[in-house]
Amino acid sequence: MTEFWESSFRDKQTMWGFAPADSAVATAALFQAQGLRNVLIPGFGYGRNAAPFTDQGANVTGIEISETAIHLARQHYGDRLQVHHGSVTDMPFDQRRYDGVFCYALIHLLDAPERAKLIADCYRQLRPGGFMVFVAISTRTAAYGDGIARGKNQFETRHGVTLFFYDAAAVEEEFGRYGLMEAKEIDEPAQQAGPKPSQKFWQITCRKPA
């Protein structure tokens, strides 16, 4: 996985641009309304989803597997953000308790034990009353079923990446014990831009009891 993402960022650089995902904007608004100031973003990339949080005065810490992506983030943000270099499977990288966690389009790249560990690790680093929001690909997206089947709702793409597609049962099974508040399917981006269609994701919101 390290080699795949390092190669991707090295070759394609800021491949998604710097406009944040719509779900990042929505989550930043939720966190601001709840007074959440310290935010952890596992799967930070080059930081395009950090801006909605930093623009509202939040302190953001990232975790990113690609050194090239971290370098690109520092070119854009300078030293304003702390980014731990490593895989989310090796969490925790610090002993802090965060007000909020935002994890975008990452968890479906992991196998079942890795997904379970990521959710548990993020929840463990939440302070009481904190929120975590995961955005995960849905079985109702157009790409579902493409590639080589590797298990239930799991397919290996032509790029050699295995994706796990979530349905409502999988969301409940994996997040139900972690203060699951809401799970809704969203289009990302919300409005299709250009010829490439939007993808269908689950936006999963959990809260740790105060």
Side-chain angles (χ1 to χ4, degrees):
M1 187 65 74
T2 302
E3 183 178 342
F4 172 84
W5 286 111
E6 186 61 38
S7 175
S8 295
F9 285 116
R10 189 169 53 246
D11 295 344
K12 301 175 184 175
Q13 297 286 294
T14 54
M15 61 187 107
W16 299 295
F18 275 98
D22 291 326
S23 54
V25 175
T27 300
L30 168 67
F31 285 7
Q32 183 185 42
Q34 296 293 328
L36 310 184
R37 300 280 297 175
N38 296 306
V39 177
L40 178 66
I41 302 182
F44 187 78
Y46 53 82
R48 76 182 182 104
N49 286 324
F53 300 95
T54 59
D55 288 350
Q56 295 178 358
N59 302 309
V60 172
T61 300
I63 300 171
E64 175 51 46
I65 199 169
S66 166
E67 286 186 290
T68 296
I70 294 172
H71 176 70
L72 292 169
R74 287 177 176 155
Q75 284 184 321
H76 187 73
Y77 289 103
D79 296 325
R80 287 185 291 150
L81 308 177
Q82 180 180 9
V83 184
H84 298 294
H85 175 230
S87 170
V88 296
T89 60
D90 294 327
M91 288 177 67
F93 287 88
D94 58 44
Q95 299 305 312
R96 295 180 63 189
R97 293 294 180 264
Y98 291 91
D99 300 328
V101 176
F102 178 65
C103 187
Y104 179 82
L106 166 65
I107 193 167
H108 51 249
L109 297 169
L110 307 178
D111 63 25
E114 291 170 339
R115 295 196 305 273
K117 183 179 186 299
L118 175 60
I119 297 167
D121 287 342
C122 288
Y123 191 77
R124 193 174 296 115
Q125 287 203 257
L126 272 185
R127 68 162 177 79
F131 284 73
M132 62 182 190
V133 176
F134 285 76
V135 180
I137 200 162
S138 168
T139 55
R140 296 205 310 125
T141 201
Y144 177 75
D146 290 349
I148 303 169
R150 296 301 187 194
K152 182 181 178 183
N153 292 342
Q154 200 165 27
F155 299 90
E156 182 180 336
T157 72
R158 60 187 176 88
H159 302 293
V161 177
T162 299
L163 301 178
F164 177 76
F165 294 79
Y166 278 83
D167 56 18
V171 171
E172 178 62 37
E173 179 180 354
E174 296 192 5
F175 291 91
R177 74 191 73 175
Y178 295 104
L180 179 62
M181 291 180 59
E182 180 184 54
K184 62 181 181 181
E185 285 186 290
I186 62 170
D187 291 321
E188 191 70 81
Q191 299 294 326
Q192 181 177 334
K196 189 175 181 180
S198 296
Q199 290 184 289
K200 189 76 70 176
F201 288 88
W202 285 94
Q203 184 170 307
I204 304 157
T205 304
C206 301
R207 186 180 191 187
K208 194 171 192 175

